[in-house]
Amino acid sequence: MSCAQNVGVSCSKTAARRRSIFRSTRIVAVAVTILVAAFSSAQAQPPVSPEWQKVIDTAKKEGSVTLYSSFAPSNLKALGDAFTKLYGVKVNVLRDVDTPLMTKVDAENSSKNPLADVLTVTDLGYFNSRGSKGWWAKPVGPNFDDPQFDRTKYLSNDGVFITGGFVYVVGWNTDAVPKGIRSYDDVLNPVFARKVGVVDPAVSVATVSFYDYLAERNGPKYIDGLAALRPQIFAGMLPSGQALTSGQVSVAIAVQALTAEKAQGAPVDYWVPSPAWGAAFRTGIIAASTHPNAAQLLANFMISRQGQELLGKNGVSVLPDVKGAVTSIKDLVLYDPTALKPEHVEAFRTEFKTKFTGNR
């Protein structure tokens, strides 16, 4: 019976009681939601130690950090944007291939005028030789103690750590090669003369190892077969991939996985060899850095799950099961820098120049 039918019941009092109960229920619901959100946040972000909080606070006061890196430009931009959004610290990026970056860091340290705070390249020999001079600061961030980051394998005694890697895949332009490529031997088809893209071994020591991998996998005459095609030579896998996308070359022997380009409708595809050759990106915090706390904060972010999703996209991650990565570092045939003697590197580069650029 409603209050209108029962003259002994006050409609206004009943309505007031209902409004009061409704408000109380809403308050309880909101409180529960806040508690659940707070609990979830606490679960996602473990408590920060006072020591690490001091690093974060001081990094914010420093205001910026400069990263020299040979990672892909798009990955570096995504990393920098996310880091700045999270901490309010600007990331200045100088992107180039290994050799110019190492030369620049050498000059800066020699003149005691360091501009870089963090360096990421693939040349382990460089890191080792400069580490013996005390050039690198040891990382102190909490992510270096994460069980998923295998510090016994990926963090050296002098503080240099692996932040990911790149894998060379064979790519092709689907307009020019509609049937695709399924082996390294497919690349040696004479129809691809002057339309094959290769990477200059002068770019980095790691690239010399890639050509050693090709010869070991396909036989010592494989390099001669490539040279006979009079391929186009590129200073890295990124310009080689761009030439592939534009149709400047039909096949590229060493590019990164062209996942994003395919998704955007570019006429490209790629084949991942098994096992594939890859190289690790190693990172050092420069001990003479003018932004030491921001450098530590960036280093810690680079090996976080979020940082790995950004750096590992279309490439190689240092953590397992990273979304967007082609593979993890543990599943690659990594080049062994200790096996690359300087005389071998120089001899191959000279041989490459003779075979690939002579008699064109």
Side-chain angles (χ1 to χ4, degrees):
M1 181 180 295
S2 69
C3 61
Q5 294 170 313
N6 184 357
V7 295
V9 177
S10 168
C11 290
S12 60
K13 290 181 179 180
T14 299
R17 281 197 299 271
R18 288 175 177 170
R19 287 194 296 271
S20 177
I21 293 171
F22 178 70
R23 283 196 299 270
S24 298
T25 303
R26 287 187 62 189
I27 291 171
V28 171
V30 170
V32 170
T33 301
I34 292 173
L35 287 172
V36 170
F39 178 77
S40 299
S41 178
Q43 291 292 96
Q45 300 181 2
V48 175
S49 69
E51 294 79 11
W52 185 242
Q53 187 61 54
K54 184 177 180 180
V55 172
I56 295 174
D57 294 340
T58 309
K60 291 179 178 179
K61 292 178 182 178
E62 291 172 352
S64 67
V65 60
T66 298
L67 170 65
Y68 289 2
S69 178
S70 51
F71 262 110
S74 58
N75 298 53
L76 291 170
K77 184 179 187 311
L79 180 84
D81 290 347
F83 181 80
T84 301
K85 182 178 180 180
L86 185 61
Y87 294 110
V89 178
K90 182 181 178 182
V91 181
N92 301 307
V93 175
L94 175 62
R95 197 276 163 189
D96 208 330
V97 294
D98 285 7
T99 301
L101 294 177
M102 295 185 298
T103 300
K104 188 165 174 46
V105 169
D106 278 349
E108 291 176 9
N109 275 270
S110 297
S111 64
K112 300 188 184 305
N113 182 34
L115 301 178
D117 300 302
V118 181
L119 171 69
T120 298
V121 291
T122 63
D123 193 335
L124 178 60
Y126 176 86
F127 280 116
N128 287 343
S129 64
R130 275 57 175 182
S132 65
K133 300 177 182 178
W135 281 23
W136 317 119
K138 293 186 178 181
V140 298
N143 287 331
F144 289 90
D145 294 319
D146 186 332
Q148 290 198 321
F149 178 82
D150 190 342
R151 60 184 294 140
T152 61
K153 293 181 179 179
Y154 306 141
L155 176 62
S156 69
N157 291 332
D158 57 7
V160 174
F161 56 99
I162 295 177
T163 43
F166 65 83
V167 56
Y168 277 170
V169 304
V170 178
W172 64 89
N173 185 291
T174 54
D175 290 339
V177 192
K179 293 184 178 180
I181 300 291
R182 291 294 177 267
S183 71
Y184 279 117
D185 284 339
D186 287 350
V187 177
L188 299 186
N189 191 325
V191 73
F192 298 140
R194 301 185 184 276
K195 297 293 284 184
V196 175
V198 299
V199 177
D200 190 340
V203 168
S204 73
V205 175
T207 306
V208 175
S209 173
F210 169 68
Y211 283 102
D212 289 344
Y213 157 87
L214 285 179
E216 182 178 344
R217 177 188 175 110
N218 303 294
K221 295 296 184 181
Y222 188 80
I223 305 301
D224 292 338
L226 269 180
L229 293 174
R230 294 293 182 258
Q232 298 181 41
I233 303 170
F234 296 94
M237 63 181 179
L238 297 180
S240 182
Q242 292 165 355
L244 188 70
T245 303
S246 69
Q248 179 181 337
V249 296
S250 301
V251 181
I253 196 79
V255 294
Q256 70 174 9
L258 303 166
T259 308
E261 290 82 353
K262 283 182 62 177
Q264 295 167 3
V268 292
D269 207 344
Y270 61 93
W271 167 69
V272 183
S274 180
W277 179 92
F281 280 116
R282 290 177 167 85
T283 299
I285 301 169
I286 295 174
S289 164
T290 55
H291 306 96
N293 294 279
Q296 288 284 353
L297 191 59
L298 179 62
N300 187 70
F301 183 69
M302 291 173 82
I303 64 163
S304 69
R305 175 66 52 173
Q306 182 182 3
Q308 284 294 292
E309 288 180 355
L310 300 171
L311 288 177
K313 187 175 182 181
N314 300 329
V316 180
S317 65
V318 72
L319 298 181
D321 304 318
V322 170
K323 180 181 178 182
V326 175
T327 187
S328 66
I329 203 84
K330 65 181 180 61
D331 295 324
L332 282 185
V333 174
L334 289 175
Y335 89 100
D336 180 5
T338 63
L340 288 175
K341 304 302 181 184
E343 54 270 23
H344 168 68
V345 173
E346 290 307 313
F348 179 79
R349 286 172 170 170
T350 300
E351 178 186 355
F352 181 93
K353 188 173 183 180
T354 300
K355 289 183 177 179
F356 283 75
T357 64
N359 301 320
R360 280 187 173 269

